[in-house]
């Protein structure tokens, strides 16, 4: 069974978001762990959490993915920025783990001039102070497009982060199709080779989630501009190949395309129909 969902707003609460997932025809979701452009986070009552968990179980949701805020930069050498990032990743790992969320994904960060190696060392230190090893949640490093001084553009950079961790077993990878395409990994014409390279550098068992996004920008542009499925430079055929690839089956997929809930509902239905027709079942 395909596990597919979209990025959902939790502004009206977790229970409302879970009900919207069901109405959408999805069986998982992604949501921000806190304000994506700030520091505030919502405190949920025990009653709401209980109703949220009941909906998850009743409708057999797949793994849920929390997304850390964009303001988090663990690669920074600026004391105020770095201290904030350390606090956020530490708090959000604990908060999402307590909610029984399976995954927390974050953008590794931008070194803003100190160099990739130094930025990676900051990320390692930031994760080591946040992950105890006792958590059930898995933290995911997201593949990045390579704009500016972003870290996580290559599989080797992600592996360098994991190699320095005290608890690497608690850290996996989220592959964003728009980002890797823009970073120069040709998932349109050479998906098999890209997956082979991922397996060689990181190991495919570390791939825990996929952000399924088309790209407004051409291959290798190093720019992060998501497009709706089939309306970008990656195209519907290539993205369906990702969904149906035998090495990727069972990995949960999350849409981050520029649509509202109704648009995502239509997008998910379209994907299901095309896959059903393609499979010949």
């Amino acid at each position: 069974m395909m596990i597919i969902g979209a990025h959902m707003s939790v502004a009206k609460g977790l229970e409302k978001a879970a009900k919207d997932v069901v109405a959408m025809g999805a069986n998982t979701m992604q949501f921000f762990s806190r304000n994506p452009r700030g520091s505030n986070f919502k405190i949920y009552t025990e009653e709401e959490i209980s109703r949220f968990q009941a909906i998850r179980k009743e409708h057999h949701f797949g793994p849920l993915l929390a997304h850390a805020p964009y303001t988090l930069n663990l690669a920074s050498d600026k004391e105020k920025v770095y201290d904030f990032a350390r606090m956020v990743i530490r708090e959000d790992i604990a908060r999402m783990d307590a909610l029984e969320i399976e995954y927390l994904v974050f953008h590794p960060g931008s070194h803003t001039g100190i160099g990739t190696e130094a930025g990676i060392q900051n990320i390692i230190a930031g994760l080591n102070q946040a992950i105890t090893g006792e958590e059930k949640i898995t933290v995911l490093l997201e593949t990045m497009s390579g704009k500016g001084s972003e870290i996580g553009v290559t599989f080797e950079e992600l592996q360098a982060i994991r190699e320095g961790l005290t608890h690497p077993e608690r850290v996996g990878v989220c592959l964003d199709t728009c980002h890797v395409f823009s970073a120069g990994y040709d998932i349109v014409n050479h998906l098999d080779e890209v997956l082979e390279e991922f397996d060689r550098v990181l190991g495919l068992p570390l791939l825990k989630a996929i952000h399924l996004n088309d790209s407004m920008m051409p291959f290798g542009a190093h720019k992060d501009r998501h497009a709706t499925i089939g309306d970008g430079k990656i195209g519907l055929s290539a993205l369906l190949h990702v969904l149906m690839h035998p090495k990727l089956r069972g990995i949960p997929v999350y849409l981050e395309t520029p649509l509202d809930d109704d648009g995502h509902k239509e997008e998910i239905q379209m994907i299901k129909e095309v896959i059903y027709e393609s499979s010949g079942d």
Side-chain angles (χ1 to χ4, degrees), residues 132-145:
T132 68
E134 299 299 318
E135 303 90 352
K136 292 183 179 180
I137 196 169
T138 299
V139 179
L140 304 184
L141 304 167
E142 184 167 346
T143 58
M144 302 307 296
S145 64

Side-chain angles (χ1 to χ4, degrees), residues 24 42 108 159 184 190 222-223 239 244:
M24 188 182 292
K42 187 176 178 64
Q159 177 59 11
H190 299 286
H222 297 292
K223 292 183 180 179
L239 290 171
M244 299 176 70

Side-chain angles (χ1 to χ4, degrees), residues 145 179-186 219-222:
S145 64
H179 294 177
V180 294
F181 178 76
S182 190
Y185 289 99
D186 190 357
F219 176 70
H222 297 292

Side-chain angles (χ1 to χ4, degrees), residues 112-180:
T112 62
I114 62 173
T116 300
E117 185 174 347
I120 286 174
Q121 292 306 310
N122 284 349
I123 296 167
I124 291 170
L127 288 175
N128 280 341
Q129 60 88 41
I131 300 173
T132 68
E134 299 299 318
E135 303 90 352
K136 292 183 179 180
I137 196 169
T138 299
V139 179
L140 304 184
L141 304 167
E142 184 167 346
T143 58
M144 302 307 296
S145 64
K147 63 179 180 179
S149 59
E150 281 182 338
I151 294 173
V153 184
T154 67
F155 300 153
E156 285 80 5
E157 289 176 4
L158 299 179
Q159 177 59 11
I161 294 171
R162 291 192 76 259
E163 286 177 347
L165 297 177
T166 305
H167 296 288
E169 74 280 2
R170 297 261 48 90
V171 177
V173 176
C174 173
L175 186 146
D176 186 302
T177 54
C178 171
H179 294 177
V180 294

